[in-house]
Amino acid sequence: MISEAYPVLAPQRREQIRKVVKQGGIARVEDLRKNLKVSVATIRRDLEILEEEGKVRRVHGGAVSMESRLEESVFDDKTSLASKEKIRIAEEAYSMIGTEESIFLDGGSTTLFLARMLTGRNDLTVVTNSLRAASELAEKGPRVILTGGELRRLSQTMVGPLSSAVLNQVRVDKAFMGTMGFCLMNGLTTTDPNEAFVKSLVAEHARQVILLADSSKAEKVSFARFSEWKQIDLLISDDGLTEVLAKSLRKLGLVVRLC
Amino acid sequence: MISEAYPVLAPQRREQIRKVVKQGGIARVEDLRKNLKVSVATIRRDLEILEEEGKVRRVHGGAVSMESRLEESVFDDKTSLASKEKIRIAEEAYSMIGTEESIFLDGGSTTLFLARMLTGRNDLTVVTNSLRAASELAEKGPRVILTGGELRRLSQTMVGPLSSAVLNQVRVDKAFMGTMGFCLMNGLTTTDPNEAFVKSLVAEHARQVILLADSSKAEKVSFARFSEWKQIDLLISDDGLTEVLAKSLRKLGLVVRLC
DNA sequence: TGCTTTTCATTCAAAAACGATCAAAATCAA
DNA sequence: TTGATTTTGATCGTTTTTGAATGAAAAGCA
């Protein structure tokens, strides 16, 4: 083995520094010095270079990362409340995807988990209006087609009339949709009308529409309605969903899967 | 091992060096000397040759592989190589943006720096086909409109015919374009035809087309041509650009700014 | 506010790495 | 074999990188 304390090449070291800073969002000069076993002067010089390259911004005592942290906000989601259910729902959804299919991925955290599971599949074509889903698949995985449109910051999705231009030109086998709320009376609703517009359009261009919604969304009604129940073919939810509601939905012709 | 007694032929040795560098992404001259049992002078000469062949890039103390994993290294090299010039160019470009303007941001590292500078501007509308530029502006900043289209992983941009759907519905005041290469004879060229398609379309939908290209791009010719000089209104480059070329471009009617 | 501690930028000298050059060694062609 | 050509290793002056030292600036604290 050559694992002895090897001197490290400067570019290599700077790459390490960059990663450490990006990881924690911030890093102290003193900590970097200890980890990399070089003098503070060298660390400072490296940070100076990394700052010129736009990768970090120096602050008194260390440096903060300037690199986009979209991916990490995903990690934040992972620790959120209903994440276990969401992951199970995403796994169930994944099992329904056949080979060489084209699918649509909606915005929302559940579909984001699904997106992450697709990184190994390069037989698929994924259409999405979610910037986060696209980022998950940015490195490798399926063919990715983005809908385009105006960026809605709150959900990190592309919405509005402009999105229809691309959507009108594609058809997908399965559309995996999220929702802010669903109930028997009012159907599916979300907060933003522009977002609803896209969802509604997607439902029209999919052979099969699959709703991914954990039970916390049940009986919730939001502002903009984007779909009636008859447009939905399948609902995947968790066993927190009441039997009454599940039975009613099945009566409407839906397939309901609880996991 | 028996190989140590045998002197190794030079091309064979260089192939070994290439592999070692590729393997670790980076290698030190001293390590290579020990492993191959030749003098540092020889290693240096070999690295020089490998650099000319484009296989490695030399750095103080060793060399880094240029043929390593697709995405990351390519983009990192791009962002670090001539970053000072690129930041200056981006700053110059920023100074040209008026209030409440709509602009297009192309893919590429220089425009990425420009995107970063726009995070404080919420009076603007930014149209872009670059996923990275959009990510920079994902949290706050201007109104962002993404073109949509198929994701090209190497450049992290949305390209191809689908992009035209959105682009045809918008007009921008200024389009900030990057390029892989530019020269007097062949105009502006880039590697991917689908990417060229988008660039070309953008140029048609902009009141003013501004090319951001550091001097390392000069006299380079890539595969797919996307624009002739008469479509470009302004070139922002660095003072590495030869006076001869600048003069010739000015004769063509371009405004050339070197910084 | 004034004082202490930490962090920073600058300077300097030592060490490492570099490029250029040249002579020795190896290879090749006859 | 001999002579020409290429490759290699050693040397030397130059450049780059590094770590330590110093005073200035910033942050913490009473």
Side-chain angles (χ1 to χ4, degrees):
Chain A
M1 287 301 288
I2 17 167
S3 60
E4 50 185 297
Y6 248 48
V8 177
L9 247 52
Q12 206 173 356
R13 188 187 54 227
R14 282 194 283 273
E15 180 62 14
Q16 280 185 37
I17 294 178
R18 187 188 68 77
K19 281 187 183 166
V20 169
V21 175
K22 185 180 177 186
Q23 183 70 21
I26 188 166
R28 297 164 43 83
V29 171
E30 184 56 23
D31 297 339
L32 291 168
R33 185 195 63 77
K34 267 187 209 159
N35 287 333
L36 301 170
K37 301 184 203 305
V38 290
S39 68
V40 285
T42 303
I43 296 288
R44 273 188 237 288
R45 272 185 281 253
D46 285 339
L47 290 177
E48 207 168 344
I49 290 168
L50 288 169
E51 180 163 48
E52 276 177 7
E53 291 174 355
K55 307 216 173 125
V56 307
R57 198 181 75 234
R58 298 187 64 190
V59 294
H60 199 89
V64 298
S65 179
M66 288 291 283
E67 297 180 277
S68 173
R69 294 226 277 144
L70 260 190
E71 293 149 47
E72 289 179 44
S73 58
V74 173
F75 277 97
D76 293 346
D77 286 344
K78 199 173 177 178
T79 58
S80 77
L81 284 172
S83 65
K84 274 184 196 171
E85 285 79 5
K86 285 176 180 173
I87 288 176
R88 278 211 303 273
I89 292 172
E91 279 167 351
E92 180 66 24
Y94 179 82
S95 72
M96 307 191 56
I97 302 173
T99 56
E100 310 217 351
E101 284 194 339
S102 61
I103 64 175
F104 177 86
L105 284 187
D106 197 12
S109 50
T110 313
T111 49
L112 200 55
F113 288 123
L114 180 55
R116 187 174 287 173
M117 296 172 192
L118 298 177
T119 48
R121 297 284 297 269
N122 45 22
D123 59 313
L124 303 174
T125 299
V126 171
V127 183
T128 185
N129 72 326
S130 160
L131 213 53
R132 289 184 179 170
S135 291
E136 287 292 325
L137 300 172
E139 304 293 326
K140 59 186 170 65
R143 194 156 76 112
V144 176
I145 290 168
L146 290 96
T147 63
E150 184 169 345
L151 178 68
R152 181 170 177 253
R153 289 214 159 80
L154 199 61
S155 58
Q156 296 283 307
T157 52
M158 295 164 264
V159 299
L162 283 173
S163 307
S164 59
V166 167
L167 280 173
N168 279 327
Q169 298 191 43
V170 298
R171 293 288 182 283
V172 293
D173 294 316
K174 297 187 172 79
F176 293 98
M177 315 278 287
T179 184
M180 290 298 284
F182 66 95
C183 79
L184 214 52
M185 286 227 349
N186 300 284
L188 311 175
T189 50
T190 191
T191 45
D192 183 60
N194 285 321
E195 188 123 14
F197 172 82
V198 172
K199 282 174 189 285
S200 153
L201 194 60
V202 166
E204 289 171 22
H205 287 73
R207 288 234 316 269
Q208 196 180 9
V209 180
I210 303 172
L211 185 68
L212 310 182
D214 61 276
S215 58
S216 73
K217 309 283 174 59
E219 308 297 355
K220 292 261 168 63
V221 180
S222 189
F223 175 62
R225 175 169 175 167
F226 65 91
S227 181
E228 303 178 25
W229 283 111
K230 60 179 179 182
Q231 289 185 270
I232 311 293
D233 299 295
L234 185 88
L235 166 65
I236 306 181
S237 187
D238 58 272
D239 44 22
L241 200 71
T242 62
E243 260 313 309
V244 182
L245 185 52
K247 201 169 278 183
S248 307
L249 290 173
R250 287 202 176 98
K251 252 182 210 163
L252 288 175
L254 256 78
V255 178
V256 179
R257 290 207 193 168
L258 306 182
C259 49
Chain B
M1 292 295 281
I2 15 162
S3 60
E4 57 183 273
Y6 285 154
V8 180
L9 257 50
Q12 205 176 345
R13 186 189 55 226
R14 280 195 284 274
E15 181 61 15
Q16 277 187 38
I17 294 178
R18 187 188 67 78
K19 279 185 184 167
V20 169
V21 176
K22 185 179 178 184
Q23 182 71 20
I26 193 165
R28 300 175 358 114
V29 170
E30 184 56 23
D31 297 340
L32 292 168
R33 185 194 63 77
K34 267 187 211 161
N35 289 334
L36 301 170
K37 301 188 200 306
V38 289
S39 70
V40 286
T42 303
I43 297 289
R44 273 190 241 288
R45 271 186 285 254
D46 286 339
L47 290 178
E48 208 166 345
I49 291 168
L50 288 169
E51 180 163 48
E52 276 174 11
E53 291 174 356
K55 309 265 176 68
V56 307
R57 197 183 82 225
R58 299 187 64 191
V59 295
H60 199 90
V64 298
S65 178
M66 289 291 282
E67 45 185 5
S68 56
R69 282 150 294 115
L70 282 176
E71 214 282 307
E72 196 162 359
S73 64
V74 171
F75 207 86
D76 282 354
D77 284 346
K78 266 171 97 177
T79 47
S80 62
L81 212 61
S83 62
K84 274 186 200 171
E85 284 79 7
K86 285 175 178 172
I87 289 175
R88 276 211 304 274
I89 291 171
E91 280 167 350
E92 179 67 26
Y94 179 81
S95 73
M96 305 189 57
I97 301 173
T99 56
E100 310 220 350
E101 283 194 338
S102 62
I103 64 174
F104 176 86
L105 284 188
D106 197 9
S109 48
T110 312
T111 48
L112 198 56
F113 287 123
L114 180 54
R116 212 165 268 172
M117 296 172 191
L118 298 177
T119 47
R121 296 286 297 271
N122 46 20
D123 59 315
L124 303 174
T125 298
V126 171
V127 183
T128 185
N129 72 327
S130 161
L131 212 55
R132 292 181 194 260
S135 293
E136 289 292 331
L137 301 171
E139 303 296 324
K140 60 185 170 64
R143 193 156 74 113
V144 175
I145 290 170
L146 289 95
T147 62
E150 182 169 347
L151 178 66
R152 182 169 177 253
R153 289 212 158 82
L154 196 64
S155 58
Q156 297 281 306
T157 52
M158 296 164 263
V159 300
L162 284 173
S163 307
S164 59
V166 168
L167 280 174
N168 279 328
Q169 297 191 44
V170 298
R171 295 286 182 284
V172 293
D173 294 316
K174 297 188 173 78
F176 293 97
M177 315 278 286
T179 184
M180 289 297 284
F182 66 95
C183 80
L184 214 51
M185 287 229 347
N186 301 285
L188 310 175
T189 51
T190 191
T191 44
D192 184 60
N194 284 323
E195 186 123 15
F197 172 81
V198 172
K199 282 174 189 285
S200 152
L201 195 60
V202 167
E204 288 172 22
H205 287 72
R207 287 233 318 269
Q208 194 179 10
V209 180
I210 303 173
L211 183 68
L212 310 182
D214 61 276
S215 57
S216 73
K217 309 285 173 59
E219 308 297 354
K220 293 260 167 64
V221 180
S222 191
F223 176 61
R225 176 169 173 164
F226 65 90
S227 180
E228 302 177 26
W229 283 111
K230 61 179 178 183
Q231 290 184 271
I232 310 295
D233 298 298
L234 184 89
L235 165 65
I236 305 182
S237 187
D238 59 272
D239 42 25
L241 201 72
T242 62
E243 260 312 307
V244 182
L245 185 51
K247 202 169 277 182
S248 306
L249 291 172
R250 288 200 175 101
K251 250 182 211 162
L252 287 174
L254 257 78
V255 178
V256 179
R257 288 205 193 169
L258 306 182
C259 48

